[in-house]
Amino acid sequence: MALIVQKFGGTSVGSAERIRNVAARILATQQEGHQVVAVVSAMGGVTNRLVELAHEVSSHPLEKEMDVLLSTGEQQTIALTSMAIAALGGQAVSYTGRQAGILTTSAHTRARIEDIDGSAVQSELEAGKIVILAGFQGLDREGRITTLGRGGSDLTAIAMAAALQADRCQIFTDVEGVFTCDPRLVKDARKLDEIAYDEMLEMASSGTKVMQSRSVEFAQKYGVPFEVRSSLADRPGTLVTEEHPNMEQVVIRGISIEKDQANVVIREVPDTPGSAGSIFRALAEADVNVDMIIQNVSNVGKARISFTLPQNDLERAREVMAPLLENQLQGAHLEAELGIAKLSAVGIGMRSHSGVAAKMFGALSDAGINIQMISTSEIKIAVIVNQARIEEAAHVVHQAFDLHKEPA
Ligand code: ADP
Ligand code: ASP
Ligand code: MG
């Protein structure tokens, strides 16, 4: 007998029929002789609709209340899934995050899990029940409901698997696993059999939304291997796990795309110690997530600082920068460029192979795609290009590295 944590995302539970299908799958797992905890998301589209509703009643919805609101999406699904299992003759019990002992920080809408007391869930399993657990939510020390950031049901599943020392953690979704690029954008993207935590983490944090990046970070930290697979088909998916030496033979594991980025250029910044510090401190305090940064210094004591950020954060960045431009950075001015996107190529094989950047830039240049900014890390090369050409860019880089072919 194994203890298995399964997670079903929004599309997988997106209709009554899909919930019945998920219920049957969960029950079948138990009937194979296993204990099952199934983490479910809100039905597809529900969380977005609740977010829209909140913005219709308030231009700045209170984050505490946002969490109370958004957590109801998952609460609907746990009840429906438990009912569907009962209708099939199984015994399931629904658990909210609070009932499952998921204690989080108080950072509403993006809380972190601090501790899980899995004893209640454990006793249900020992009594032969299937536990249907609401993803994406927990409780802080003040007893208030919190949520774990968009896509946070992935984190619930992985953290629960760690807390219960589960034998297996399976993330069921609407594609067959982790692909070399988003299969909806690059038609010949290939499903990976396995991928290292570091690669999955880099991909997730650069736009591959099949896994929430914080959940991958958690899995790596606590050593929870997990499988991403389809809730609609019954085929093996992708194992996300510790890296092993063979993995380095593949130079690029996958490509991520992040659309709707903006580039902010601040010109005439005094080239003195502290200028950059003041800009990025102010942005950090306002929780603006800055990505690539470039500074060019001219010979007249002025610098030009550019950085990219999600387009949604641009207004906040402008508000934060306004007082700085009037005081410390007097004389500097800010311009923003929209319509750009980021393409990242990720692979631990980069550590031991050279010429990766040259090949990537060459492929883009052959296609006549201009690179506006570049950034690199040990296992990632990222470029900013015009959004209108991002899909083509992904395609040519995918081809250049033969990602559509099974590696030799
Ligand atoms: P869920 O609702 O199950 O959590 P998500 O919508 O969060 O599912 O994630 C699944 C989606 O991620 C897929 O439908 C796919 O379009 C997208 N995706 C982006 N990049 C990739 C990739 N490299 N491999 C697989 N899926 C990807
Ligand atoms: N329902 C939440 C969201 O849409 C959490 C999740 O699905 O993982 O972001
Ligand atoms: Mg998701």
Side-chain angles (χ1 to χ4, degrees), residues 271-341:
D271 184 22
T272 49
S275 288
S278 67
I279 295 175
F280 295 104
R281 199 174 322 109
L283 292 166
E285 280 165 9
D287 242 345
V288 174
N289 249 326
V290 171
D291 189 9
M292 293 190 195
I293 301 173
I294 291 178
Q295 168 166 299
N296 310 15
V297 177
S298 76
N299 50 10
V300 290
K302 297 285 181 185
R304 186 178 73 198
I305 295 182
S306 332
F307 56 89
T308 63
L309 76 180
Q311 209 164 290
N312 281 340
D313 283 349
L314 184 58
E315 260 331 292
R316 202 140 35 107
R318 279 189 197 275
E319 282 165 24
V320 170
M321 293 304 304
L324 276 182
L325 296 176
E326 277 170 28
N327 300 299
Q328 291 101 306
L329 307 180
Q330 232 180 37
H333 48 96
L334 179 154
E335 285 160 30
E337 181 199 355
L338 304 179
I340 57 170

Side-chain angles (χ1 to χ4, degrees), residues 99-401:
Q99 292 169 319
I102 300 179
L103 182 73
T104 74
T105 61
S106 300
H108 286 282
T109 74
R110 51 182 180 285
R112 288 183 176 272
I113 294 180
E114 286 193 325
D115 189 33
I116 297 184
D117 173 1
S119 53
V121 168
Q122 194 77 59
S123 350
E124 298 285 3
L125 294 174
E126 278 157 21
K129 304 265 177 60
I130 293 170
V131 175
I132 308 296
L133 172 61
F136 175 58
Q137 53 177 274
L139 197 73
D140 72 0
R141 288 187 193 278
E142 272 131 59
R144 298 211 54 103
I145 295 175
T146 52
T147 63
L148 309 176
R150 296 306 303 268
S153 299
D154 295 334
L155 178 57
T156 305
I158 285 167
M160 208 61 196
L164 299 173
Q165 295 185 297
D167 301 289
R168 254 181 276 164
C169 179
Q170 301 173 316
I171 307 290
F172 287 89
T173 184
D174 57 4
V175 285
E176 292 206 358
V178 181
F179 283 68
T180 48
C181 192
D182 188 341
R184 298 185 202 285
L185 300 181
V186 171
K187 291 299 165 213
D188 54 1
R190 193 171 44 80
K191 190 195 81 189
L192 297 164
D193 293 331
E194 58 177 4
I195 179 169
Y197 289 129
D198 276 332
E199 295 170 326
M200 188 71 254
L201 184 56
E202 282 282 11
M203 284 179 73
S205 29
S206 57
T208 296
K209 74 159 195 167
V210 67
M211 286 301 297
Q212 187 209 33
S213 62
R214 279 165 61 184
S215 72
V216 183
E217 214 178 314
F218 196 102
Q220 180 165 31
K221 185 163 168 199
Y222 293 96
V224 183
F226 60 93
E227 187 195 2
V228 179
R229 56 186 293 162
S230 166
S231 64
L232 304 164
D234 199 15
R235 279 188 279 276
T238 304
L239 185 67
V240 185
T241 184
E242 211 71 66
E243 75 176 75
H244 53 75
N246 273 351
M247 284 181 172
E248 281 215 16
Q249 287 167 13
V250 173
V251 188
I252 302 288
R253 186 83 51 203
I255 292 172
S256 294
I257 287 175
E258 213 166 6
K259 291 188 182 169
D260 301 324
Q261 303 296 298
N263 183 21
V264 172
V265 184
I266 309 175
R267 291 181 206 277
E268 306 287 311
V269 176
D271 184 22
T272 49
S275 288
S278 67
I279 295 175
F280 295 104
R281 199 174 322 109
L283 292 166
E285 280 165 9
D287 242 345
V288 174
N289 249 326
V290 171
D291 189 9
M292 293 190 195
I293 301 173
I294 291 178
Q295 168 166 299
N296 310 15
V297 177
S298 76
N299 50 10
V300 290
K302 297 285 181 185
R304 186 178 73 198
I305 295 182
S306 332
F307 56 89
T308 63
L309 76 180
Q311 209 164 290
N312 281 340
D313 283 349
L314 184 58
E315 260 331 292
R316 202 140 35 107
R318 279 189 197 275
E319 282 165 24
V320 170
M321 293 304 304
L324 276 182
L325 296 176
E326 277 170 28
N327 300 299
Q328 291 101 306
L329 307 180
Q330 232 180 37
H333 48 96
L334 179 154
E335 285 160 30
E337 181 199 355
L338 304 179
I340 57 170
K342 187 169 75 164
L343 178 80
S344 310
V346 173
I348 53 177
M350 266 185 226
R351 293 186 197 131
S352 49
H353 291 78
S354 54
V356 184
K359 193 166 181 179
M360 175 166 168
F361 303 162
L364 292 168
S365 116
D366 289 346
I369 298 171
N370 189 39
I371 299 172
Q372 302 185 11
M373 276 169 137
I374 298 170
S375 84
T376 61
S377 77
E378 199 196 5
I379 64 163
K380 180 173 82 178
I381 300 174
V383 296
I384 293 287
V385 302
N386 185 332
Q387 176 148 310
R389 305 205 62 188
I390 187 70
E391 287 175 24
E392 191 187 347
H395 183 77
V396 300
V397 173
H398 196 266
Q399 287 286 125
F401 287 97

